[in-house]
RNA sequence: GCUGCUAUAGUGUAGACCGGCCAAUCAUCCCGGCCUUUCACGCCGGGGACUGGGGUUCAAAUCCCCAUAGCAGCACCA
């Protein structure tokens, strides 16, 4: 074939040569080619149908404080609302009395504030029980749902065999009666459930005639007096429609739910939102399961929800991780469908970007040893910058009075070290190790001798400090001036970024962030 | 087991829909060096990946099939 021969001939040319040829023969084609590949989209992918604004929601279950997993859902949705404009709804999904922790109503909102979500409206599902019941009646009357009195086990067997249960044949009129009886408390917990009629042969057994409402008689719900509660798939579908939600971004564990919820939209003739399901996210070394954390706290393994070994937002906030860092990290991860293992290193890097320019620098001497420098000139006051890249912030003063605390790890005997911002000293050998001698002021000499520059504190001008790390406490001394930065993130030089949680006259308490 | 989704460096991500510009992006990480009275920041250099096998095609990270692995769901939880 002629075309074949030509293609072969073109292929023999180098790409550059091909471009040249094309520029001569068909310059407009070349333009098109470069156009297609140059739409470098920054950040998150565009959302279909979002051009005129979106309504999105963050819908946590109030069972405990928010953790990093929640933060991904909350921040991703938030980012799209910010990008396209519209409305962001915080919907508290408290329809399972067994899984409601009353404290969480406030902690969840505090955590949302911390994350700086642009929430426009707050909805409690427990306020809307009447609405769900009303729509349940509608669904029953159009033959889309039925009251099922089968045993759960028995129903499951039928379902797996793609067979309908006997209750499915009952008329809408009768079902309406049964439903009212259900609402009137004529049934006990577990005796009945309202099922949505789906394709009984649906390829995914999880969607076949799923439950929409059920009875929970204990424990009592903290906010409402009721025993009939909707299941998530029912209340979510009703609310998403009634609240005008246009786009939903959630984890892929909801993928089967999307199929179920679609049935409800179809029955009522509603247009479903656009759904996106991102992959599962694990975080190295922590449990993100609220129930497991709760159990750990109850067992005394963790000190509380803000135990720094946990992945809750309160725990990482305590460590001086900023909400901006969480946001940046989470947006970088995006809405990919692949399962990921989120690494602390990536979060730390984002936080360092934010915190490094603002954190004041201080000396903290962990595991201190006292060193006498008998022959050194006394009456010295070392001046160290609060921030090396910003001299305008001023200095800290460290008066030298003949002896210093330095970290035991820096005790190299024999050897020379430089006390940061002060002078050089030489350490003796063996039992003379702790007897240091003055070795000049020259920084150049210290550099030439490859002497490590170590942080120190004067014993007469210092305060005990405990640095709490996830793997245990580190005790030592730090500069008293650290107290001025209580509540803030500072950098302990040569140690890392920490948050000063408490500063009393007797003790500084710091929490470890990262290097 | 069944139903479905996914597979790019240690980690995260771009490229994939529309096959050639990919000897594959960016960040993190690791290793050198420079700068610097911190092991921070900054700068320079280096390291490291298309899960495997077939197929289609002049051409495959990209399309198709199979295998493998991971994950999700299979609740009267969310």
């Amino acid at each position: 074939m002629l075309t074949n021969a030509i293609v072969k001939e073109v292929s023999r040319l180098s790409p550059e040569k091909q471009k040249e040829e094309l520029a001569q023969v068909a310059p407009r084609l070349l333009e098109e080619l470069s156009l297609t590949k140059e739409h470098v989209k920054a950040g998150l992918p565009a959302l279909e149908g979002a051009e005129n604004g979106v309504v999105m929601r963050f819908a946590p279950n109030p069972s405990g404080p928010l953790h990093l997993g929640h933060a991904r859902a909350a921040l991703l949705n938030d980012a799209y609302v910010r990008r396209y404009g519209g409305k962001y709804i915080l919907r508290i999904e408290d329809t399972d009395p067994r899984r409601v922790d009353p404290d969480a109503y406030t902690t969840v909102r505090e955590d949302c504030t911390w994350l700086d979500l642009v929430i426009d409206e707050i909805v409690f599902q427990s306020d809307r029980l009447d609405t769900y019941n009303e729509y349940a009646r509608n669904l029953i009357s159009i033959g889309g749902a039925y009251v099922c009195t089968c045993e759960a086990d028995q129903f499951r067997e039928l379902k797996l065999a793609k067979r309908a249960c006997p209750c499915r044949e009952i008329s809408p009129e009768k079902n309406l009666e049964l439903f009212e009886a259900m609402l009137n408390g004529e049934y006990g917990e577990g005796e009945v459930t309202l099922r949505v009629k789906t394709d009984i042969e649906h390829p995914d057994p999880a969607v076949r005639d799923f439950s929409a409402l059920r009875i929970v008689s204990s424990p009592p719900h903290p906010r409402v007096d009721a025993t009939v509660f909707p299941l998530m798939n029912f209340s979510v579908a009703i609310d998403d429609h009634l609240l005008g939600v246009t786009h939903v971004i959630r984890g892929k564990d909801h993928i089967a739910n999307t199929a179920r919820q679609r049935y409800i939209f179809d029955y009522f003739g509603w247009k479903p939102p656009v759904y996106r399901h991102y992959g599962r996210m694990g975080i190295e070394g922590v449990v993100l399961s609220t129930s497991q954390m709760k159990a750990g706290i109850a067992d005394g393994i963790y000190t509380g929800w803000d135990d720094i070994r946990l992945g809750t937002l309160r725990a990482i906030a305590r460590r001086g991780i900023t909400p901006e860092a969480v946001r940046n990290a989470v947006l970088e991860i995006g809405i990919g469908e692949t399962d990921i293992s989120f690494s602390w290193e990536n979060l730390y890097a984002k936080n360092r970007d934010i915190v490094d320019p603002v954190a004041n620098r201080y000396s903290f001497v962990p595991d201190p040893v006292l060193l006498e420098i008998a022959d050194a000139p006394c009456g010295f006051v070392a001046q160290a910058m609060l921030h090396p890249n910003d001299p305008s912030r001023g200095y800290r003063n460290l008066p030298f009075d003949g002896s210093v605390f330095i970290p035991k790890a820096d005790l190299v005997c024999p050897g020379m070290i430089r006390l940061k911002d002060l002078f050089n000293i030489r350490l003796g050998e063996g039992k003379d190790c702790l007897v240091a001698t003055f070795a000049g002021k020259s920084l150049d000499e210290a550099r030439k001798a490859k002497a490590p520059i170590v942080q120190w504190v004067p014993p007469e001008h210092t305060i005990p400090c405990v640095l709490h790390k996830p793997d245990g406490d580190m005790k030592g001394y730090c500069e008293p001036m650290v107290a001025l930065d209580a509540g803030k993130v500072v950098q302990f030089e040569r140690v890392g970024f920490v948050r000063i949680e408490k500063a009393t006259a007797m003790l500084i308490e710091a929490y470890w962030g990262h290097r």
Side-chain angles (χ1 to χ4, degrees):
Chain A
M1 292 295 278
L2 183 61
T3 47
N4 215 348
I6 292 172
V7 166
K8 256 193 178 133
E9 195 181 315
V10 173
S11 299
R12 252 196 302 276
L13 299 171
S14 69
E16 295 76 31
K17 211 49 194 214
Q18 288 182 25
K19 209 174 260 178
E20 276 176 35
E21 292 276 316
L22 189 60
Q24 289 192 355
V25 185
R28 289 190 50 201
L29 262 182
L30 186 65
E31 276 175 42
E32 273 181 43
L33 268 179
S34 41
L35 254 173
T36 51
K37 289 266 175 170
E38 251 151 62
H39 62 293
V40 217
K41 47 190 172 185
L44 297 170
L47 272 189
E48 170 199 341
E51 301 74 24
N52 299 319
V54 294
V55 178
M56 302 184 77
R57 39 78 162 182
F58 171 51
N61 169 277
S63 57
L66 265 26
H67 55 64
L68 254 0
H70 292 113
R72 165 133 89 143
L75 258 9
L76 247 18
N77 283 286
D78 184 82
Y80 278 114
V81 175
R82 285 173 191 258
R83 170 159 159 189
Y84 290 111
K87 189 154 90 167
Y88 198 26
I89 299 167
L90 171 63
R91 192 168 69 211
I92 305 295
E93 306 213 327
D94 54 349
T95 54
D96 182 2
R98 271 188 277 269
R99 298 218 349 181
V100 172
D101 172 0
D103 293 341
Y105 285 104
T106 47
T107 54
V108 163
R109 288 175 66 171
E110 286 166 8
D111 291 344
C112 288
T113 304
W114 185 76
L115 282 173
D116 193 26
L117 304 179
V118 289
I119 288 168
D120 300 291
E121 190 181 336
I122 302 180
V123 173
F124 295 84
Q125 289 194 315
S126 52
D127 287 343
R128 301 165 62 78
L129 262 25
D130 290 343
T131 307
Y132 306 130
N133 292 338
E134 199 44 47
Y135 278 92
R137 288 188 189 95
N138 293 346
L139 193 55
I140 293 168
S141 46
I142 61 175
Y146 59 94
V147 176
C148 176
T149 51
C150 298
E151 294 276 325
D153 289 352
Q154 185 192 344
F155 179 83
R156 195 179 54 222
E157 268 178 48
L158 288 169
K159 174 184 79 176
L160 289 175
K162 301 185 178 177
R163 285 171 46 210
C165 86
C167 317
R168 203 179 205 251
E169 307 310 322
I170 297 168
S171 72
E173 294 70 31
K174 180 69 186 161
N175 269 315
L176 247 13
E177 280 173 35
L178 290 170
F179 184 59
E180 295 307 324
M182 192 172 157
L183 289 175
N184 289 335
E186 291 172 34
Y187 290 100
E189 193 170 308
E191 288 178 8
V192 281
T193 180
L194 185 80
R195 293 190 182 282
V196 174
K197 270 191 209 172
T198 69
D199 180 357
I200 200 69
E201 297 191 16
H202 193 283
D204 186 351
V207 331
R208 295 174 197 158
D209 283 22
F210 63 90
S211 269
L213 287 96
R214 50 74 161 93
I215 293 171
V216 183
S217 40
S218 71
H221 195 283
R223 293 183 82 244
V224 288
D225 177 26
T227 54
V228 174
F229 292 91
L231 272 326
M232 176 249 202
N233 284 298
F234 192 69
S235 47
V236 162
I238 303 295
D239 281 345
D240 280 348
H241 173 256
L242 260 27
L243 301 172
V245 171
T246 59
H247 295 76
V248 175
I249 293 173
R250 45 171 20 168
K252 75 178 189 185
D253 44 323
H254 286 293
I255 222 155
N257 294 325
T258 300
R260 296 195 259 218
Q261 288 161 28
R262 227 177 266 279
Y263 273 93
I264 294 167
F265 280 90
D266 287 348
Y267 274 122
F268 289 119
W270 299 334
K271 181 173 178 267
V274 174
Y275 296 94
R276 286 289 166 82
H277 299 99
Y278 56 76
R280 181 197 155 85
M281 179 174 87
I283 300 179
E284 49 182 24
V286 285
V287 287
L288 282 191
S289 143
T290 303
S291 54
Q292 278 187 56
M293 289 192 274
K294 197 171 210 161
I297 293 168
D299 292 350
I301 299 168
Y302 304 121
T303 57
W305 290 109
D306 59 355
D307 187 302
I308 52 172
R309 291 164 294 178
L310 260 24
T312 57
L313 298 183
R314 344 182 67 90
I316 66 171
R318 196 177 198 187
R319 297 176 58 186
I321 310 283
T322 58
E324 293 83 5
V326 175
R327 180 180 290 266
N328 292 343
V330 157
L331 293 189
E332 185 171 282
I333 287 166
I335 57 173
E337 290 176 65
T338 0
D339 305 322
I340 59 162
S341 155
F342 184 63
S343 154
W344 287 105
E345 284 300 339
N346 290 315
L347 215 210
Y348 295 160
K350 297 291 181 205
N351 200 53
R352 205 175 288 120
D353 286 345
I354 288 159
V355 128
D356 183 83
V358 298
N360 284 331
R361 315 288 149 129
Y362 294 103
S363 281
F364 166 66
V365 177
D367 200 8
V369 290
L370 186 62
L371 227 51
E372 300 276 345
I373 305 127
D375 62 340
C378 273
F380 243 117
V381 178
Q383 289 201 309
M385 283 193 278
L386 275 168
H387 197 293
N389 300 343
D390 183 9
S392 72
R393 272 198 234 178
Y395 294 82
R396 312 111 63 181
N397 293 328
L398 294 165
F400 172 71
D401 51 21
S403 60
V404 294
F405 281 121
I406 67 162
K408 195 174 180 186
D410 287 303
L411 204 62
V412 280
C413 303
M416 173 159 136
I417 62 178
R418 179 174 182 85
L419 300 175
K420 189 169 176 295
D421 303 299
L422 195 64
F423 47 64
N424 309 332
I425 55 172
R426 199 173 301 281
L427 301 170
E429 202 165 357
K431 58 177 183 287
D432 288 337
C433 188
L434 293 178
V435 184
T437 53
F438 179 69
K441 293 183 192 174
S442 165
L443 177 60
D444 285 344
E445 266 175 46
R447 287 236 159 91
K448 244 171 245 155
K450 297 231 189 283
I453 298 172
V454 324
Q455 81 278 26
W456 56 279
V457 287
E460 302 302 318
H461 190 71
T462 190
I463 181 168
C465 174
V466 47
L467 173 55
H468 301 285
K469 302 179 80 167
D471 54 1
D473 290 354
M474 207 178 227
K475 293 194 175 87
Y477 292 107
C478 69
E479 299 173 47
M481 243 182 110
V482 169
L484 297 179
D485 273 327
K488 292 188 191 154
V489 175
V490 303
Q491 188 204 46
F492 281 163
E493 284 175 319
R494 304 211 309 144
V495 177
F497 292 94
V498 304
R499 192 179 138 273
I500 307 303
E501 178 157 300
K502 221 159 95 189
T504 66
M506 300 303 298
L507 180 71
I508 302 280
E509 279 197 79
Y511 282 83
W512 171 255
H514 49 83
R515 298 222 64 154

